[in-house]
Amino acid sequence: ANAARAMEEAIKLDPDKPPYYLLLGLCQSQVPEFKRDAEKNLQKAAELESWNAEPFVALGMLFYSERLYKRAEAYFRKALELEPKHALARSKLTEIAGPEKGPLDEVHKKLKKFLPSIFDRK
């Protein structure tokens, strides 16, 4: 809560700094009474730096912590669009939606049905 108040003061001094909104939202997301404010500030950071994956990951984690998995999933997917190798977004998305299936997985499944001996070798 003290860190959130400090970040609010920093924003008053320079309201055009997206990292300030990100840090404020991260601080507020740790205090149950401030979670709605955290969402607003994280969205402001995402709006100001739409190229940065971090505000989207933070929003995903906020909704994940509240067990709002569908909303969290959308933010993790957006973060991965911006930064495909983001480890936290990838792991949380896999946790929510399961492992991603590629086009070859479907082919492998069909071939395994008709040629099981080839795929079951060790």
Side-chain angles (χ1 to χ4, degrees):
N2 290 336
R5 282 191 284 280
M7 290 313 304
E8 286 171 347
E9 290 299 317
I11 288 172
K12 285 179 187 173
L13 296 173
D14 193 355
D16 296 326
K17 295 273 188 176
Y20 291 177
Y21 290 98
L22 176 60
L23 290 173
L24 176 58
L26 289 171
C27 293
Q28 290 171 328
S29 69
Q30 301 302 310
V31 182
E33 305 88 66
F34 297 145
K35 290 210 179 201
R36 289 202 189 273
D37 294 330
E39 178 186 0
K40 290 176 188 169
N41 287 307
L42 291 171
Q43 286 181 340
K44 177 74 172 179
E47 178 184 311
L48 292 172
E49 282 189 341
S50 59
W51 52 266
N52 186 358
E54 293 306 319
F56 295 103
V57 173
L59 281 160
M61 290 304 297
L62 176 66
F63 290 115
Y64 182 86
S65 72
E66 294 296 310
R67 295 188 180 106
L68 297 170
Y69 300 123
K70 286 294 180 189
R71 289 187 75 183
E73 180 181 350
Y75 284 112
F76 291 137
R77 287 189 189 283
K78 177 64 177 170
L80 288 169
E81 285 176 20
L82 298 170
E83 191 177 327
K85 293 183 180 182
H86 198 287
L88 180 59
R90 173 80 51 212
S91 70
K92 290 299 179 183
L93 182 60
T94 301
E95 200 175 305
I96 293 169
E100 289 185 32
K101 302 224 186 266
L104 293 179
D105 290 334
E106 198 59 37
V107 172
H108 181 267
K109 187 177 173 182
K110 288 179 182 178
L111 283 175
K112 188 173 180 180
K113 182 178 178 182
F114 295 109
L115 301 168
S117 62
I118 293 173
F119 293 101
D120 291 333
R121 290 184 189 172
K122 292 186 180 183

